[in-house]
Amino acid sequence: MTSKATTPRYTVPGITVQDAATVIEVLQQRLHSFNDLHLTLKHVHWNVVGPHFIAVHEMIDPQVDAVRNMADDVAERLAALGGVAQGTPGALVAGRTWEDYSVGRADAIAHLGALDLVYTGVVEDLRATIKTVGEIDPATEDLLIGQLRDLEQFQWFVRAHLETAGGTLTTADATTEKEAAAESSA
């Protein structure tokens, strides 16, 4: 599954270069994910409108900063393992497996509905990565578990705006960002 491009010439002590290549490959996808997420969060920050504008606008900026730091930590771990962190916009677009964020200028709650789906995808992918690296590299696993905890908290912040008094999410039936945006604003 690993390519020659991801196989390092050296790595950290106690891990084979083949195992390091596996970790590097999945970390590269997380780097793309975090770079995409921090840009998406900033897009939301710039494009929220409506009565909840200031609350959402101010809630998002710390998430942007935290996700940027996650990207930096992943890139540095990838490099420590002997890999090359591909952080250019072209590498992100070419390497990602998801579509671009689809909501433009919209009501703050609509953005949060769409963002909930974005967080779900990022969290699910991160959990799969943790499972993969847990067998190989406990240091990388530890890094990613801390990031998972933070991302789940950010999603909780988002979902708090989408939860009804009865405890259900207004976006529970949505399968696309645009559906989630529409359902959250209804």
Side-chain angles (χ1 to χ4, degrees):
M1 183 178 281
T2 59
S3 70
K4 191 173 183 179
T6 59
T7 303
R9 292 177 182 236
Y10 69 91
T11 191
V12 296
I15 297 177
T16 67
V17 293
Q18 293 80 15
D19 282 345
T22 298
V23 176
I24 289 165
E25 191 170 318
V26 296
L27 286 180
Q28 182 59 60
Q29 280 303 305
R30 296 298 53 83
L31 179 58
H32 290 328
S33 176
F34 291 151
N35 280 334
D36 187 82
L37 180 58
H38 91 257
L39 291 169
T40 298
L41 288 166
K42 202 61 181 178
H43 170 84
V44 170
H45 171 85
W46 292 324
N47 289 289
V48 296
V49 297
H52 303 287
F53 162 78
I54 199 65
V56 172
H57 184 79
E58 290 184 354
M59 177 182 74
I60 296 295
D61 254 354
Q63 293 180 26
V64 170
D65 294 340
V67 174
R68 275 189 192 143
N69 286 334
M70 290 176 194
D72 189 52
D73 289 343
V74 164
E76 290 175 358
R77 183 64 187 162
L78 194 154
L81 289 164
V84 176
Q86 301 294 325
T88 64
L92 167 60
V93 171
R96 71 181 183 188
T97 58
W98 56 92
E99 295 296 318
D100 204 14
Y101 186 74
S102 62
V103 179
R105 187 170 180 84
D107 178 79
I109 301 304
H111 270 296
L112 293 178
L115 198 51
D116 181 42
L117 287 183
V118 171
Y119 270 121
T120 294
V122 172
V123 166
E124 287 174 349
D125 288 348
L126 185 54
R127 283 186 173 278
T129 300
I130 290 168
K131 192 173 188 177
T132 298
V133 303
E135 310 252 334
I136 300 169
D137 181 17
T140 299
E141 179 187 38
D142 181 60
L143 169 70
L144 298 176
I145 288 170
Q147 293 173 339
L148 176 65
R149 194 171 31 252
D150 289 344
L151 290 168
E152 288 176 343
Q153 183 180 45
F154 298 159
Q155 187 174 28
W156 172 56
F157 293 166
V158 167
R159 286 182 165 180
H161 293 269
L162 304 171
E163 188 176 350
T164 67
T168 60
L169 291 175
T170 59
T171 57
D173 297 327
T175 58
T176 69
E177 293 163 3
K178 288 191 176 189
E179 284 177 13
E183 288 178 14
S184 65
S185 297

